[in-house]
Amino acid sequence: MSELDLIREYFSHVGVARRDVALGVGDDCALLRVPRGFELAVSIDTLTAGVHFLANADPDSIGHKALAVGLSDLAAMGAEPAWATLALTLPTADRRWVGAFCRGFARLAESHGVQLVGGDTTRGPLSVTVQVHGLVPGGTAVRRLGARPGDRIWVTGTLGDAGLTLRHLEAGEPVSPYLRERLDRPLPRVAAGLSLRGLASAMIDVSDGLAADLGHILEASGVGAEIALPALPLSPEVAGYVDSTADWTLPLASGDDYELCFTVPPDRCGGVEALAEPSDCRPTVIGVITEKPGLRCIQADGGDWRPSRAGYDHFAEGG
Amino acid sequence: MSELDLIREYFSHVGVARRDVALGVGDDCALLRVPRGFELAVSIDTLTAGVHFLANADPDSIGHKALAVGLSDLAAMGAEPAWATLALTLPTADRRWVGAFCRGFARLAESHGVQLVGGDTTRGPLSVTVQVHGLVPGGTAVRRLGARPGDRIWVTGTLGDAGLTLRHLEAGEPVSPYLRERLDRPLPRVAAGLSLRGLASAMIDVSDGLAADLGHILEASGVGAEIALPALPLSPEVAGYVDSTADWTLPLASGDDYELCFTVPPDRCGGVEALAEPSDCRPTVIGVITEKPGLRCIQADGGDWRPSRAGYDHFAEGG
């Protein structure tokens, strides 16, 4: 039995054992049962060494994050996580590395009732692709295209933590445990996403930065938005950074937040306020959907804020 | 819009438009409908440059093969192909390359009624991960574990063509169009796989070589096998190679065949003979399942054949 075969053994029992799995890891295909009346929500994502994580990053964190990214996509549709498949490309068959990777993956899988049902292990530059599979009652998934003028814009948790952590790391500066955790082990907002079915008119997860991802909602819905920069939910660390630099690109565009951004008609906002979310991911109103296209970011003095560096496709040209 | 965004545009309309796709490419998740009474069969596979294909290989062929590998897994379960997702990692955002890749992928997808429903494009060393999704009436999928002593062992098509092609290429020798096609554009045996539901007691696709893959059936079923080397279906090219070298490792262990190997109880073999398979993938009986574990390969003179080089875990120690 080769080392890669031994590694495949690790994947046989990752996550919970679900009754809707007719056949898991170990045959040509897994066999899965979708309950009647439900739609299957699927999303596939690759994390590559040197792009999405440092090649020497803690494998436990890489395992966690590879699954978290997908669960965040399920959360953004209001889908309940069910199954995952994993394609792992490894430069060497390092069983210790894979053991730690699986622990990180498995812990998050268990906390969301997910079973790993299929895997492929190949040799090559380090890279992880995960597909997540979730279930959602037919016709109830929350898409990007339902935002209407007047809808309030909400975001869960805080923005810019992962971006600030990366900056500190790149500068060789110390990083608080809170910030490090926000970069390495983001917690997908699955419970919030499920609660928002029937309340949110549009939803997306914030993976590329609020401006870009809210931009996708605006584009899909054919609307614009105004957001109030002082209303953005920030951790003390990011608030301190913005206070001292006046640089809003960090909370608006640094990515890797894995929060949910969603829109809610005004008469349903009470329902969002009533959600029993834990304090670290409670949603905050940050703005309103407008008929006029583009994204306006309004500062405390009422003036428009414009980014000083390029790359913000989704900021309105005209403000 | 970035080059990667432009490339994502290519993925919006690959393959056929299926009515069971409630939402395809372009949101956080795709939304899919599994018909009542069916199970969902899924398989994920990665092809990496330098391991599974040459980095300078024709992108049209890479697109074809990346999907073919998955469809071959669906065929081996007797599942009907439905949807695919694609995670593509590219060193540079080369639109011409991606266009050709998509054409190869799309042509095969269309010929099997498959819709691409989700994609992810990232920067990094060239690598392609595809997940296929198929449908099979509940409880009818053909697994690896059902082979019983006395069952006949069958294989579709011919063995060793891709392996011989690779040898020729590595030696800088000319390769016939037939052989090149067998390596670059294998045709997954989907129709045969569907026909074999209710006939085959166990099935697998031959991707790692007949000895290894039949070995997986033997292991899962707790049985052994005897195969008659002169019965192996070989193309004239591979038959010529074996005649001149007496080296059976090529048809037994070179991999990338993407044929189906399956077992059938004697009283059902008439059903297999009656299948209207095209001549290039007609199944051939190559041996029989035995109680005694291990794989015996019997030569024309009745003696056992043993491989001269190492690496054949699944050959019986005792012959």
Side-chain angles (χ1 to χ4, degrees):
Chain A
M1 202 185 236
S2 75
E3 275 296 298
L4 279 181
D5 285 334
L6 283 170
I7 283 174
R8 283 182 194 116
E9 289 285 300
Y10 279 106
F11 297 141
S12 312
H13 300 96
V14 173
V16 301
R18 292 177 60 100
R19 298 188 54 165
D20 51 15
V21 176
L23 182 60
V25 171
D27 211 303
D28 291 287
C29 294
L31 295 171
L32 309 168
R33 296 195 199 101
V34 172
R36 197 178 159 194
F38 280 73
E39 286 172 350
L40 175 70
V42 301
S43 176
I44 190 165
D45 280 292
T46 298
L47 303 188
T48 303
V51 179
H52 302 93
F53 56 85
L54 303 171
N56 63 358
D58 165 26
D60 187 301
S61 296
I62 298 173
H64 173 102
K65 195 161 180 176
L67 180 58
V69 166
L71 296 183
S72 184
D73 282 319
L74 291 180
M77 303 294 287
E80 180 151 8
W83 316 298
T85 54
L86 166 66
L88 184 58
T89 303
L90 292 170
T92 55
D94 179 342
R95 291 171 65 184
R96 235 179 48 155
W97 193 97
V98 174
F101 174 91
C102 280
R103 278 192 296 281
F105 190 101
R107 213 180 300 113
L108 186 64
E110 284 158 16
S111 73
H112 289 283
V114 169
Q115 180 173 348
L116 183 71
V117 296
D120 185 34
T121 314
T122 52
R123 252 178 236 277
L126 180 58
S127 164
V128 189
T129 299
V130 172
Q131 175 157 327
V132 291
H133 310 68
L135 300 170
V136 58
T140 70
V142 187
R143 298 177 54 178
R144 297 178 178 176
L145 52 65
R148 294 289 167 265
D151 286 0
R152 302 299 186 263
I153 303 165
W154 295 73
V155 66
T156 59
T158 55
L159 299 170
D161 293 328
L164 182 59
T165 312
L166 266 182
R167 268 187 211 204
H168 284 323
L169 291 176
E170 282 164 10
E173 293 161 6
V175 173
S176 72
Y178 165 80
L179 281 185
R180 188 68 203 231
E181 197 79 354
R182 288 282 284 160
L183 175 68
D184 287 349
R185 310 176 68 83
L187 294 175
R189 304 312 192 184
V190 172
L194 292 173
S195 304
L196 288 164
R197 283 197 319 238
L199 290 174
S201 52
M203 183 151 59
I204 194 167
D205 78 314
V206 183
S207 52
D208 296 331
L210 178 72
D213 290 315
L214 175 55
H216 292 311
I217 287 184
L218 303 185
E219 200 181 328
S221 301
V223 294
E226 288 180 8
I227 60 175
L229 294 184
L232 293 187
L234 306 179
S235 64
E237 288 90 337
V238 172
Y241 170 87
V242 172
D243 280 348
S244 65
T245 62
D247 176 16
W248 287 95
T249 55
L250 193 74
L252 284 173
S254 55
D256 257 8
D257 290 319
Y258 300 108
E259 298 295 346
L260 296 176
C261 174
F262 54 98
T263 60
V264 182
D267 60 340
R268 289 195 224 144
C269 284
V272 179
E273 280 155 11
L275 292 180
E277 290 304 315
S279 60
D280 71 324
C281 74
R282 198 161 289 157
T284 308
V285 181
I286 61 167
V288 65
I289 295 294
T290 59
E291 275 192 46
K292 189 180 176 189
L295 174 59
R296 270 189 76 189
C297 298
I298 301 170
Q299 303 190 83
D301 63 8
D304 283 9
W305 182 82
R306 287 191 179 78
S308 50
R309 52 188 177 101
Y312 298 91
D313 296 351
H314 298 283
F315 283 93
E317 289 302 315
Chain B
M1 204 185 233
S2 75
E3 275 296 298
L4 279 182
D5 285 333
L6 283 171
I7 283 174
R8 283 182 195 116
E9 289 285 301
Y10 279 106
F11 297 142
S12 311
H13 300 97
V14 173
V16 303
R18 292 177 60 98
R19 297 188 53 163
D20 51 15
V21 176
L23 182 61
V25 170
D27 211 302
D28 291 288
C29 294
L31 295 172
L32 309 168
R33 297 195 198 102
V34 173
R36 197 176 160 196
F38 280 73
E39 286 172 352
L40 175 71
V42 301
S43 175
I44 189 166
D45 280 292
T46 298
L47 302 188
T48 304
V51 179
H52 302 93
F53 57 85
L54 303 171
N56 63 359
D58 166 26
D60 187 301
S61 297
I62 299 172
H64 174 102
K65 196 161 181 177
L67 179 59
V69 167
L71 295 183
S72 184
D73 283 319
L74 291 179
M77 303 295 285
E80 181 152 5
W83 316 298
T85 54
L86 166 66
L88 184 57
T89 303
L90 292 171
T92 54
D94 179 340
R95 290 171 67 183
R96 232 178 50 153
W97 193 98
V98 174
F101 174 91
C102 280
R103 277 192 296 280
F105 190 102
R107 214 181 299 113
L108 187 63
E110 282 157 19
S111 73
H112 289 283
V114 168
Q115 181 174 347
L116 183 72
V117 295
D120 185 33
T121 314
T122 51
R123 253 178 235 276
L126 180 59
S127 165
V128 189
T129 299
V130 171
Q131 176 157 326
V132 291
H133 309 69
L135 300 170
V136 58
T140 70
V142 187
R143 298 176 53 178
R144 298 177 177 176
L145 53 63
R148 295 290 167 265
D151 286 359
R152 302 299 186 263
I153 303 164
W154 296 73
V155 67
T156 59
T158 56
L159 299 171
D161 293 328
L164 183 58
T165 312
L166 265 182
R167 269 186 212 204
H168 284 323
L169 291 177
E170 282 164 10
E173 293 161 5
V175 173
S176 72
Y178 165 80
L179 280 184
R180 189 67 205 233
E181 196 80 354
R182 289 282 286 158
L183 175 67
D184 286 350
R185 310 177 69 83
L187 294 175
R189 304 312 192 185
V190 172
L194 292 173
S195 303
L196 288 163
R197 283 197 319 237
L199 290 174
S201 53
M203 184 151 58
I204 193 167
D205 77 314
V206 183
S207 53
D208 295 332
L210 178 71
D213 290 314
L214 175 55
H216 292 311
I217 287 184
L218 304 185
E219 201 182 327
S221 302
V223 294
E226 288 179 7
I227 60 175
L229 295 184
L232 292 187
L234 307 179
S235 64
E237 288 89 337
V238 172
Y241 171 87
V242 171
D243 279 349
S244 64
T245 62
D247 176 16
W248 288 95
T249 54
L250 192 75
L252 284 172
S254 56
D256 257 9
D257 291 317
Y258 302 109
E259 298 295 347
L260 297 177
C261 174
F262 55 98
T263 60
V264 181
D267 60 342
R268 287 194 225 146
C269 284
V272 179
E273 281 155 11
L275 292 180
E277 289 304 315
S279 60
D280 72 322
C281 75
R282 199 161 287 157
T284 308
V285 181
I286 61 167
V288 64
I289 295 293
T290 59
E291 275 190 46
K292 189 180 176 189
L295 173 59
R296 269 188 78 189
C297 298
I298 302 171
Q299 303 190 80
D301 64 6
D304 283 9
W305 182 82
R306 287 193 180 76
S308 51
R309 54 189 176 99
Y312 300 91
D313 297 351
H314 298 282
F315 284 93
E317 289 302 315

